[in-house]
Amino acid sequence: MLVEMLDSLGVKDINLSKYSQSFHRDSETLYLNDQQAKELSDRISKLRQTKPHLNFKGDALSFVPLAEVNSNTRADQITYTSENEQRLALHKFLSRSGCSAGRSSLGIGPNGKGILCEQMEMSSRFQFGDLTNQTILEVWNSDELKKFTFPEKEQFKGKACEHCSSFNQCATNKGQCFRDNYFYFNNLYEVMKDCPHRATLAI
């Protein structure tokens, strides 16, 4: 079993991610069905009991019905019935798993360029650095990458993010999902589709 092998190698943190949309040969057949997702969630729960020294994390740990996983509903298409409901939605949004792009992972394209997200198109506007004449550390610490991963509020001018009190917690600490922003809005610097502030703070 994979977990047994990782445990024997001394791995302590195991991050499990579900399949999600991609520009590269995307297929709905690769999504877990409800039964598979539930079985995975139950199996991880048992492993946490038998192997408490291992830290399991990631968006594949909890069971979420497939219809909800694939939902394209944006927050500005939802009507909240009370301010408390919206506050709860915001709390859930700010508690989301952070984007790993340029924070805990570094993609490298076949041309040696750093890539922002492996699920996006291989376009020069989403690339940075050059491993053919730079070290990985130089690319990792480059200003080019930091501009993507730690955007300034000015890059969201005219958007809800520009005036949001949670900007640092959201965009800086958690990170924008570049893939979703590009998929839904054709713009990296956009209010994320699941943000409850999309309608209420929009200018």
Side-chain angles (χ1 to χ4, degrees):
M1 185 179 181
L2 178 60
V3 173
E4 297 291 346
M5 183 189 73
L6 294 174
D7 190 14
S8 68
L9 293 172
V11 174
K12 300 301 180 186
D13 295 321
I14 299 177
N15 195 328
L16 300 173
S17 297
K18 297 175 183 176
Y19 173 79
S20 54
Q21 284 180 307
S22 170
F23 273 103
H24 314 291
R25 289 185 256 179
D26 185 47
S27 172
E28 291 189 2
T29 62
L30 297 176
Y31 284 102
L32 295 179
N33 61 39
D34 285 352
Q35 180 180 348
Q36 291 170 328
K38 181 68 166 58
E39 289 176 353
L40 176 61
S41 179
D42 291 344
R43 188 171 297 180
I44 295 300
S45 295
K46 291 178 181 178
L47 283 170
R48 279 176 162 162
Q49 295 176 359
T50 59
K51 296 183 177 294
H53 57 288
L54 295 181
N55 178 29
F56 293 94
K57 53 187 177 179
D59 61 7
L61 300 186
S62 57
F63 169 62
V64 179
L66 186 60
E68 185 175 335
V69 173
N70 288 337
S71 173
N72 290 328
T73 303
R74 290 171 15 194
D76 54 6
Q77 298 168 333
I78 297 174
T79 301
Y80 296 102
T81 58
S82 68
E83 290 185 4
N84 185 55
E85 183 183 8
Q86 187 174 24
R87 279 195 296 269
L88 290 173
L90 180 60
H91 175 74
K92 179 180 178 181
F93 176 70
L94 293 176
S95 300
R96 71 189 186 277
S97 297
C99 177
S100 64
R103 295 166 178 269
S104 60
S105 65
L106 175 65
I108 302 172
N111 60 355
K113 301 283 188 179
I115 55 176
L116 187 56
C117 176
E118 76 283 356
Q119 298 183 55
M120 295 172 62
E121 63 178 273
M122 296 294 168
S123 169
S124 59
R125 56 180 170 157
F126 305 136
Q127 296 178 342
F128 49 87
D130 189 344
L131 268 297
T132 64
N133 55 48
Q134 290 178 289
T135 65
I136 289 181
L137 194 59
E138 287 173 335
V139 173
W140 181 256
N141 291 321
S142 68
D143 290 336
E144 288 179 282
L145 177 55
K146 289 177 182 177
K147 287 179 181 178
F148 283 123
T149 51
F150 302 105
E152 299 291 338
K153 270 193 173 184
E154 288 72 22
Q155 292 175 275
F156 296 87
K157 189 172 181 62
K159 310 290 174 59
C161 299
E162 183 183 13
H163 304 285
C164 183
S165 60
S166 301
F167 180 84
N168 288 334
Q169 182 182 358
C170 180
T172 304
N173 296 343
K174 288 289 186 178
Q176 297 270 338
C177 179
F178 301 112
R179 180 204 66 204
D180 278 0
N181 279 358
Y182 189 66
F183 266 130
Y184 290 98
F185 310 109
N186 196 33
N187 180 12
L188 296 186
Y189 305 106
E190 180 58 74
V191 185
M192 289 179 63
K193 75 179 185 69
D194 299 322
C195 177
H197 281 327
R198 278 198 64 85
T200 57
L201 292 183
I203 297 175

